[in-house]
Amino acid sequence: MNTRSATRGLGLLTAIAAIGTLTAPVAFGAPTPVPAGTSKKLPAQPKDDFNGDGYADLAVGSPNGRIERKNGAGYVSVVYGSKSGLNLSSKQLLHQGVEGVPGTTKVDDRFGSSLASADLDRDGYADLVVGVAGEDPTPEFPFYGVMTVVWGGPKGLGRGTAPGKVIKGAGRHLVTGDFNGDGNPDLVTGEYGSGLRMLHGPFDTAGGPARESSTPPTGDDDDRILDGIRAGDVNGDGITDIVGLHGWRDDSYWRPELVFWEGTPTGPIAYRHIKDQKRRLVLGDTLDVGDVNKDGYADIAVGLLYGGETSAEVPSGGQVTYIKGSAKGPLGSRNKVFHLDSPRVPGSSKTSGGFGSAVSVGDLDGDKYEDITVGVAGMNVDGRRAAGSVITLRGTASGPTSKVSKEFHQNTKGVPGSAEAGDLFGNHLKTLDANGDGREELAVSAPGENENAGAMWVFKTDKNGVTPNGSFVYGPETLGLDPDPVRFGEVLTY
């Protein structure tokens, strides 16, 4: 679909005089800061609430973005939440050199190559960690560049806050959580071979993390590549655990296996493999974590597009596996599998693929059971190949169910635009409660949109889950930028 006309139809700004200082969000009652070094827990607030107003905000990384005529300099766009949800009139563009962000824009720095958020300095405002994969490689960190912490505050990210903090070694993957149970958010970066690098909180705005460590090595770390990590309390002990896809390339096959790092008072211990009912390793390409059956343990959703050596066991259209959490950790022997040929799941593996291109776990209907949204980027829509769609699976006491599954795409009535071949709608997903009503909205990317310029769709939710009513779309032109082929929406916060 060409969303440029749809975007203009929203009456949005198409030019921005100063892209680093867009309309500032308003803070409603700034939280009282908590001194660094304390383990006192802060009141619950959205993880991505950068201005402390109680509403989650959406950050999108565009590492291929062009800034100041520098290709691949990269940028991050932020749309702030409000009582009516994400508000496109309250947006911000971050890149190196704007207020609160150190550095200068350079070709191929790839600012925004990875993202994570948490209140790292414990002042009541979520902070944003931005990977800058191409910045200043060193012998110690030749592949990762740096990561920049942009501090949150009452005016939003970087506005009137301490200067951002640069930390060597960005990591391909970032995730936050309290991985040692001391009450302070920690930051984890994924690295090749050696496992995970831990940056322990609380963070000091000038000095960075309180200390660093790494996960213990295992016998099969060599030549491994981490393909994704997510955080959640899978065993219900009050300490955040880490779930990851850890694999290697064996001849022509890529084998990302599901592994589990248990959080303990001394930090995560060496990972263990998660096995399925047949006692084989669970393979996957995408994952997310959340409490689908409302039993107090975070569960795991894993998308697998291709089976590699196990391809005969994986439907050609892909599949999603649900794995229960428990006091013993993930129960791989108690899983459920969904695919395009499952009863009441829309579509067919004979005509479409990509079921599991993305997975996101969040409570879409407010019933306290978290639901699973599945991206199907390869879905053929009305004969348009790989136009893409998303399918929701409702959470219940017995786990996810397809009985009331829903499908949405660009040809769904009420959704802006129209499906076109290669849009890859559903390639990335994120759920977030941007209006504070207890239900999470759904953000969907289509990086192939507008000849690879890319775009993001935002869906409202009601008591029945996702609804097309009130959905909207935005992309680079909304930010006052040229519609370059940046594949907008390929990097989201998790």
Side-chain angles (χ1 to χ4, degrees):
M1 160 218 168
N2 188 322
T3 57
R4 293 170 193 166
S5 59
T7 302
R8 291 191 183 100
L10 293 172
L12 304 174
L13 295 176
T14 59
I16 299 172
I19 58 177
T21 55
L22 307 185
T23 307
V26 178
F28 299 94
T32 302
V34 176
T38 178
S39 62
K40 180 181 178 181
K41 291 187 179 293
L42 292 171
Q45 66 183 120
K47 178 181 178 182
D48 301 326
D49 182 9
F50 303 121
N51 60 356
D53 63 358
Y55 306 113
D57 311 311
L58 178 62
V60 177
S62 299
N64 298 316
R66 180 172 58 169
I67 294 292
E68 298 172 354
R69 299 184 179 180
K70 297 179 176 66
N71 292 332
Y75 58 82
V76 175
S77 64
V78 183
V79 177
Y80 287 86
S82 70
K83 64 180 180 180
S84 58
L86 291 174
N87 181 6
L88 283 170
S89 67
S90 182
K91 57 189 181 294
Q92 184 179 14
L93 192 69
L94 300 172
H95 59 81
Q96 291 169 306
V98 300
E99 183 180 5
V101 184
T104 58
T105 57
K106 294 190 290 293
V107 172
D108 291 334
D109 268 359
R110 296 183 57 78
F111 184 87
S113 54
S114 51
L115 296 174
S117 70
D119 183 7
L120 297 174
D121 59 352
R122 296 180 55 77
D123 65 351
Y125 304 97
D127 311 302
L128 183 67
V129 185
V130 183
V132 194
E135 175 83 9
D136 297 335
T138 66
E140 184 181 5
F141 300 109
F143 304 109
Y144 305 126
V146 303
M147 51 190 157
T148 298
V149 183
V150 184
W151 306 108
K155 296 180 180 180
L157 287 163
R159 298 185 177 120
T161 68
K165 175 65 180 175
V166 176
I167 302 172
K168 286 290 184 181
R172 292 177 61 238
H173 306 282
L174 302 172
V175 72
T176 58
D178 184 6
F179 304 112
N180 57 6
D182 67 354
N184 296 307
D186 309 307
L187 172 66
V188 164
T189 74
E191 302 188 7
Y192 287 95
S194 60
L196 304 179
R197 178 186 175 198
M198 311 283 301
L199 289 81
H200 297 273
F203 281 59
D204 181 89
T205 55
R211 64 184 179 89
E212 294 191 31
S213 66
S214 60
T215 54
T218 66
D220 58 359
D221 270 340
D222 293 341
D223 299 322
R224 288 275 182 156
I225 299 177
L226 191 66
D227 206 40
I229 47 177
R230 295 289 184 268
D233 188 4
V234 178
N235 60 7
D237 64 355
I239 302 175
T240 311
D241 308 305
I242 302 171
V243 181
L245 292 169
H246 210 213
W248 71 89
R249 190 172 297 280
D250 181 9
D251 296 327
S252 61
Y253 296 109
W254 170 244
R255 301 188 62 198
E257 299 168 346
L258 192 63
V259 297
F260 174 66
W261 286 271
E262 181 182 352
T264 74
T266 58
I269 59 177
Y271 69 75
R272 61 182 174 88
H273 294 282
I274 300 175
K275 302 179 184 294
D276 64 13
Q277 295 111 320
K278 299 178 181 179
R279 308 310 297 166
R280 294 173 179 168
L281 301 177
V282 175
L283 304 183
D285 296 293
T286 60
L287 78 160
D288 202 12
V289 176
D291 189 0
V292 177
N293 61 358
K294 202 173 68 173
D295 65 354
Y297 304 103
D299 309 310
I300 305 167
V302 185
L304 178 61
L305 304 181
Y306 310 103
E309 292 177 339
T310 65
S311 59
E313 302 173 23
V314 178
S316 59
Q319 70 179 33
V320 170
T321 302
Y322 161 76
I323 299 172
K324 288 183 60 176
S326 74
K328 296 180 180 180
L331 296 178
S333 61
R334 301 274 299 277
N335 61 30
K336 289 185 175 182
V337 176
F338 299 86
H339 48 77
L340 289 172
D341 296 325
S342 295
R344 293 176 292 276
V345 171
S348 168
S349 63
K350 294 180 180 179
T351 58
S352 297
F355 187 84
S357 303
V359 287
S360 185
V361 182
D363 183 5
L364 302 172
D365 53 15
D367 65 356
K368 307 305 180 185
Y369 294 95
E370 297 199 40
D371 311 299
I372 299 177
T373 304
V374 181
V376 197
M379 177 71 78
N380 298 335
V381 177
D382 296 334
R384 294 165 178 84
R385 186 176 180 82
S389 72
V390 295
I391 294 173
T392 60
L393 305 173
R394 184 180 179 184
T396 72
S398 58
T401 178
S402 59
K403 289 182 179 179
V404 288
S405 61
K406 295 182 178 181
E407 182 185 25
F408 299 89
H409 47 70
Q410 291 184 62
N411 282 2
T412 299
K413 184 179 180 180
V415 177
S418 59
E420 290 182 346
D423 279 348
L424 300 177
F425 183 87
N427 203 59
H428 293 80
L429 305 169
K430 180 176 174 63
T431 55
L432 72 165
D433 187 1
N435 62 5
D437 66 354
R439 295 188 302 266
E440 298 194 36
E441 292 86 64
L442 175 65
V444 181
S445 81
E449 183 72 15
N450 289 345
E451 299 178 351
N452 291 321
M456 290 292 302
W457 276 254
V458 178
F459 288 84
K460 304 285 188 179
T461 54
D462 57 26
K463 64 180 181 179
N464 296 314
V466 177
T467 175
N469 299 328
S471 59
F472 62 90
V473 59
Y474 71 100
E477 285 188 295
T478 312
L479 305 172
L481 301 173
D482 292 331
D484 298 320
V486 300
R487 298 182 67 81
F488 186 83
E490 282 206 312
V491 180
L492 308 177
T493 51
Y494 295 108

